[in-house]
């Protein structure tokens, strides 16, 4: 099972009360004008999830950390860094307003 299938399956199993936002994510959502209810909706129903990758980290304990890209249109997507264990910790939220597909393709190519 690859990252995408694993993340999709795991995210589908969580409820709204299982999603926790870090302080950093809350600040970034306000700065980037992203509504928390939209983030929760994307996580609970990951039909817009198009890519999920494991970032390279210094700490091997972050084996459940994923970069997840949720498609909204050709020129807009949201990237969530999620730590999935017994609950989902949203580490940060990023709004990408350009041709985001190339960004992801480069990351997947460099693996």
């Amino acid at each position: 099972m690859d990252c995408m299938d694993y993340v999709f399956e795991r995210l589908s199993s969580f409820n709204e009360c299982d999603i926790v936002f870090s302080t950093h994510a809350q600040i970034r959502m306000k700065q980037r004008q992203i509504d928390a209810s939209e983030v929760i909706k994307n996580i609970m129903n990951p039909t817009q999830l198009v890519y999920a990758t494991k970032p390279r980290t210094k700490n091997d304990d972050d084996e459940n950390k994923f970069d997840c890209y949720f498609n909204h249109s050709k020129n807009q997507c949201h990237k969530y860094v999620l730590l999935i264990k017994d609950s989902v910790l949203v580490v940060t939220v990023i709004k990408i307003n350009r041709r985001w597909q190339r960004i992801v393709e480069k990351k997947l190519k460099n693996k």
Side-chain angles (χ1 to χ4, degrees):
M1 183 183 306
D2 64 342
C3 281
M4 177 75 176
D5 294 332
Y6 175 77
V7 171
F8 189 88
E9 184 179 302
R10 289 289 307 223
L11 290 180
S12 299
S13 67
F14 289 108
N15 295 324
E16 187 174 340
C17 59
D18 297 327
I19 300 170
V20 180
F21 293 95
S22 69
T23 307
H24 176 77
Q26 292 173 353
I27 292 168
R28 295 299 179 218
M29 284 190 304
K30 285 181 185 175
Q31 287 178 337
R32 296 171 177 146
Q33 299 173 347
I34 299 171
D35 190 29
S37 64
E38 183 179 2
V39 175
I40 291 170
K41 183 185 84 166
N42 284 335
I43 292 172
M44 286 178 42
N45 185 13
T47 55
Q48 294 181 326
L49 178 67
V50 287
Y51 294 106
T53 61
K54 278 185 170 271
R56 293 184 182 161
T57 58
K58 294 178 185 175
N59 189 358
D60 290 336
D61 294 337
D62 290 339
E63 63 185 36
N64 294 318
K65 189 174 188 179
F66 297 95
D67 291 341
C68 300
Y69 292 83
F70 291 85
N71 183 23
H72 291 279
S73 70
K74 190 184 253 187
N75 294 325
Q76 185 180 40
C77 85
H78 289 175
K79 174 185 173 185
Y80 307 152
V81 177
L82 304 175
L83 187 62
I84 302 173
K85 290 190 179 182
D86 296 334
S87 63
V88 179
L89 174 65
V90 181
V91 177
T92 192
V93 177
I94 301 168
K95 183 188 281 187
I96 301 173
N97 288 324
R98 60 178 181 193
R99 294 256 184 214
W100 57 271
Q101 292 90 344
R102 291 189 184 130
I103 297 168
V104 175
E105 287 170 359
K106 285 181 184 178
K107 286 188 178 214
L108 292 175
K109 184 179 177 182
N110 290 336
K111 280 196 159 197

